[in-house]
Structures are given as C-alpha cells and as structure tokens.
Amino acid sequence: MSRKIVVLLNKKAFTMSIKAFLGMGLLGSNFVKAMLRRGDTMQVWNRTASKAAALESDGAKAFSDVRDAVKGANRIHVTLKDDASVDAVLEQASAGFSPGAIIIDHTTTSKDGAVQRTAYWKSKGYTYQHAPVFMGPSNALDASGYMLVSGEPSVVDQLTPELSVMTGKLIQLGAETGKAAAMKLMGNSFLVCFAFTLRDTYAVAKAQGLTVDDILGLFQTWNPGAQVEGRLKRMTSGDLSKPSWELDMARKDTNLFLEAAEKGGTHLSILPTIATVMDEWIGKGFGQHDWTIVANDLRD
C-alpha cells in the first residue's frame, strides 16, 4: 500500500506523498528538485545510477534497482527516451508497484504507444496517464511551460491539481486516449521545421553579407510569426484559385534563394526540397494558384 508522511507545521497538517521518478535526465532531475521543494518525498532511479545518486544531496533517495525505487509510491513519474525504453522500464519496475499506483509518463512517445500502454496497465490494475510536455529543464525547475493531457476524464480530473503545480499551464485535450501524444509530436515537428527554417534563412542572409542583427532587426519590425494562424487557415480551407502570391512567383523567389546561397558558398537544408515540391505542383498545372496549394493533398 502507498505510504504517506504527515507533518505538523504551525498547527496545520500537511500531507507529503511519496513519489517515484524514473529517468534522471535534465528534465527529470529538475522535476524532482522542484517536487522536493514542494515537500514531496522522492524516490529516484536512472539506468546510469550516478545520475540518480546526484539527487540525494537535494533530498531524494536514490535506488539502483528500479523495483525498489517504486515501492511504496502511489505516483510513478517517468521521463525516458522513447516507447521502447518506457515499456522496458515499466515492465521491470512493475514487480515493485503498490496496489492502485498511478503511472504518469512525460516521455515524448508515439500515439499508438500511449494508447497501448493505457490499456495494458489498466488490465494489470494500474492507471497509466500520458502527460507529455513542452518544457525544458529550466521550465521543470520553476514550473513554467506547458503540459498536455488527454484521456479518461475522471483520471484527468483526479490528477489535475498535482500536475498543474508542475507546469505553467496544463492543457486538457479531451477524452481521446493518445491525443496528447499526437499533439506533442505535431508540436515538435513544427519546432524541428522552425529550427531548420531559421537555419536556411540565416544561410541565405549570410550568403548576401547580412548579419544576425540584420535578421533580428527585420523580424522586430516585420514579424512573420504573426502570419501563422492566417496562413494555416488559408492553406487548409481557403480558395487557392484566388492567390495572394502565385506559386509561380514563389518558385521564382525560391530560385533566387538557391542562387544566392550557391554564389555565397552556404549550404541549404530544406529549400532545395521545397523547390522540388513546388515544381511538382507547377507541373500539375497549379502555377497560378496561391502558393499554399502545395498542401492541397492534405486538405479535408
């Protein structure tokens, strides 16, 4: 059974739950430090034992055996690498699970993996709740950033108070199991593309003798990020036969990007692929449509 410690302070009783945390990377270790500061009793484990042991100076109790790390804990938090590592570690740890323990997994995983784990652990008598995050180590330490949850409403409602204190905003996505995982992957795909977009933007700028300050100066006056919502709506539901920027013209400019980079001796990562996709749509006869026609095959 789960254990609890009751502390009397200023004649008020405060309940400190015993929690286990598996995975002491940068994110997990800072989550643990923040939990300790909030008064939780933390039992920690990491495959590389030294990373867990380092948290003992902050007040956590480290275990080399994951089965021992989860004993007595009614909440088992997880931040690991992927579906395979989550499945392997939880299976190994399960011999030490307390009856009714709730597993809260912050790992970025596949949607299918989250759905399967929810059903599997329910069949074993435990609750599995996926709660992926848009948070870095500093966010985990100061409870900022964003955490996503979806699934059984009664479980989400039960966990909302304790998850809310771990993050700046807890985003509830409804009753669909696995939707939080899907939304996290979608968001991360944007972040990856965004980074490579900035990389190619910098490459085109550098090839023409422009500096980072030049880029920042333009973006401070003209904010392309303000176009995201409108561009997505137009791309997915607008009338693309009435262009604001023709695909032919966008392709002409893309060729200028490519030429400038080649002349300046800088390497481009994504613009050559973009040019290829544009050429495919122009070849289909859509050159005089809005340039966002390149996503037409994805429209509902």
Side-chain angles (χ1 to χ4, degrees):
M1 295 185 62
S2 62
R3 295 173 288 158
K4 292 185 178 179
I5 300 174
V6 178
V7 178
L8 293 178
L9 182 62
N10 295 330
K11 297 183 180 180
K12 293 182 180 180
F14 295 85
T15 301
M16 299 191 301
S17 62
I18 295 177
K19 298 178 180 179
F21 214 115
L22 313 180
M24 293 296 98
L26 296 175
L27 189 67
S29 60
N30 274 3
F31 267 136
V32 168
K33 290 176 183 178
M35 289 172 164
L36 288 166
R37 292 174 184 177
R38 290 192 291 269
D40 290 319
T41 299
M42 301 302 303
Q43 300 176 172
V44 299
W45 172 90
N46 195 74
R47 195 180 303 277
T48 302
S50 59
K51 291 186 177 181
L55 273 298
E56 291 196 319
S57 61
D58 293 283
K61 183 170 179 55
F63 294 85
S64 58
D65 190 325
V66 70
R67 293 168 295 186
D68 293 331
V70 300
K71 286 180 179 177
N74 61 351
R75 298 288 186 270
I76 301 163
H77 290 262
V78 180
T79 53
L80 295 167
K81 180 182 179 181
D82 51 22
D83 287 288
S85 61
V86 172
D87 288 336
V89 169
L90 289 180
E91 196 63 45
Q92 184 180 0
S94 62
F97 286 173
S98 297
I102 297 177
I103 304 160
I104 304 171
D105 184 9
H106 306 290
T107 309
T108 299
T109 68
S110 68
K111 177 180 179 180
D112 288 346
V115 171
Q116 291 164 8
R117 276 185 292 278
T118 301
Y120 175 77
W121 289 110
K122 183 176 182 179
S123 73
K124 299 289 184 180
Y126 304 102
T127 298
Y128 171 91
Q129 176 63 54
H130 195 218
V133 300
F134 291 116
M135 299 171 68
S138 61
N139 300 122
L141 190 60
D142 61 19
S144 59
Y146 303 86
M147 184 178 293
L148 315 178
V149 289
S150 67
E152 175 57 45
S154 62
V155 174
V156 172
D157 289 345
Q158 178 186 357
L159 295 178
T160 289
E162 56 192 280
L163 294 181
S164 295
V165 300
M166 296 177 64
T167 186
K169 184 174 180 61
L170 182 68
I171 303 175
Q172 300 191 25
L173 298 168
E176 181 186 345
T177 302
K179 187 170 184 178
M183 292 286 278
K184 166 63 172 172
L185 288 182
M186 179 269 291
N188 273 14
S189 73
F190 179 87
L191 294 178
V192 170
C193 292
F194 183 52
F196 276 86
T197 297
L198 288 177
R199 186 203 180 281
D200 274 19
T201 300
Y202 183 31
V204 171
K206 190 173 183 180
Q208 301 177 98
L210 300 175
T211 67
V212 174
D213 287 340
D214 290 324
I215 300 171
L216 293 174
L218 176 61
F219 286 176
Q220 287 166 1
T221 303
W222 167 70
N223 176 17
Q227 301 181 33
V228 171
E229 182 177 353
R231 186 67 62 194
L232 179 61
K233 288 180 178 179
R234 181 170 177 78
M235 180 180 289
T236 56
S237 61
D239 181 1
L240 302 183
S241 66
K242 299 177 181 179
S244 61
W245 191 21
E246 290 183 355
L247 178 58
D248 281 336
M249 297 303 292
R251 178 62 180 90
K252 180 268 295 181
D253 284 6
T254 301
N255 200 52
L256 291 174
F257 312 151
L258 300 175
E259 290 174 352
E262 182 178 8
K263 183 177 179 179
T266 58
H267 171 70
L268 297 173
S269 296
I270 60 174
L271 280 169
T273 299
I274 289 171
T276 299
V277 175
M278 286 179 164
D279 287 342
E280 291 174 356
W281 283 93
I282 290 172
K284 296 175 184 177
F286 292 99
Q288 294 185 327
H289 282 64
D290 192 85
W291 66 297
T292 56
I293 192 72
V294 294
N296 202 48
D297 56 325
L298 301 176
R299 290 167 65 133
D300 294 330

